[in-house]
Amino acid sequence: MKKFPGLSKEECASACNEKGCVLAAGRPLCFHPCKGGVPKAFKDDPEAQALQAAARDALGIKLKPVQGVAA
C-alpha cells in the first residue's frame, strides 16, 4: 500500500497506534474499513470519508449499492 504502508484487510497501517489512526486523520479511533469503518459520528466528515474511500480503493474493496436508495 503506497498511500498507507502496512495496510491490509487484516492489519492496520504501520503508522497507526493507540494514539491515532492514519485513516482517522490521527484521531484515537480505528477507522479501518474491515474493522468497523467510519463511526456514525463522522459519517458527514469529508476528511474521514475521503480517507475511507482511499483506504477501500487501496484494499480493492468495492461498496455494494443499497437497493432502493438513490445515489
Side-chain angles (χ1 to χ4, degrees):
M1 300 293 123
K2 192 180 269 188
K3 185 167 185 164
F4 306 109
L7 182 68
S8 71
K9 288 185 178 180
E10 295 82 25
E11 299 294 326
C12 292
S14 302
C16 293
N17 59 51
E18 65 278 349
K19 293 183 181 181
C21 171
V22 174
L23 305 179
R27 294 177 182 100
L29 304 165
C30 180
F31 283 20
H32 191 291
C34 299
K35 296 182 181 184
V38 178
K40 197 174 201 173
F42 296 96
K43 291 292 185 190
D44 293 326
D45 183 304
E47 182 179 32
Q49 292 302 322
L51 287 167
Q52 187 71 189
R56 283 193 311 265
D57 286 346
L59 294 172
I61 298 171
K62 305 290 182 210
L63 293 180
K64 296 177 184 176
V66 178
Q67 193 168 359
V69 177

